[in-house]
Amino acid sequence: MNAQLVNSAAEVLHAAMLRGTQTPAGLAVALESAQLLQSPESAAELKRLRARVNELEALEPAPIQTCRTCGAGYELGRSCGTCEFQSHIAAALAERYGDGRPPAEDPHDSPLHHSYRVGRELPEVPRG
């Protein structure tokens, strides 16, 4: 039993009674409007979430170590994920391209490309 919750409900019921509410339905409406009623499903979900929070708070935080190569943080006793990722990418590039570098960029020629100059690219002709 949560004493704070009981006191909150008692205050809401007392205020409703002072306003003249005497019926059980009126008192239930007062509790609902104060958001003190909940469905069994939401109560079960709240209980599950509180248990999970307690479980996570009980965990010991893993000591963090800083990588000397890239400066990223990682858990003590494990390898640096950032450096592993970078070495994985380098290995994939070397496997695909041989020397580890991608080929030079394409010239970006499209069917609309033309090698001649258009009017806006021509030098200005002096008038007159």
Side-chain angles (χ1 to χ4, degrees):
M1 178 168 77
N2 187 341
Q4 188 177 20
L5 209 61
V6 170
N7 287 337
S8 297
E11 288 175 14
V12 168
L13 293 174
H14 181 70
M17 288 177 172
L18 289 177
R19 285 191 308 265
T21 305
Q22 298 295 322
T23 63
L27 296 174
V29 167
L31 287 172
E32 176 62 28
S33 62
Q35 298 179 348
L36 292 174
L37 295 180
Q38 36 176 240
S39 68
E41 294 84 16
S42 65
E45 179 70 9
L46 180 63
K47 187 176 183 181
R48 185 188 69 77
L49 290 173
R50 283 186 178 153
R52 180 67 176 144
V53 166
N54 290 338
E55 177 186 327
L56 291 174
E57 286 177 344
L59 290 176
E60 290 290 324
I64 300 295
Q65 188 170 330
T66 303
C67 179
R68 292 183 178 157
T69 306
C70 67
Y74 64 96
E75 286 184 33
L76 188 64
R78 302 184 94 187
S79 58
C80 176
T82 305
C83 289
E84 281 183 359
F85 179 73
Q86 290 171 350
S87 65
H88 172 72
I89 295 297
L93 287 173
E95 180 181 316
R96 183 167 183 172
Y97 300 117
D99 62 353
R101 291 180 294 159
E105 286 191 29
D106 291 335
H108 303 294
D109 288 341
S110 75
L112 301 176
H113 177 75
H114 52 81
S115 58
Y116 54 87
R117 291 177 147 186
V118 293
R120 67 177 179 273
E121 299 169 335
L122 293 173
E124 211 174 302
V125 177
R127 293 188 183 179

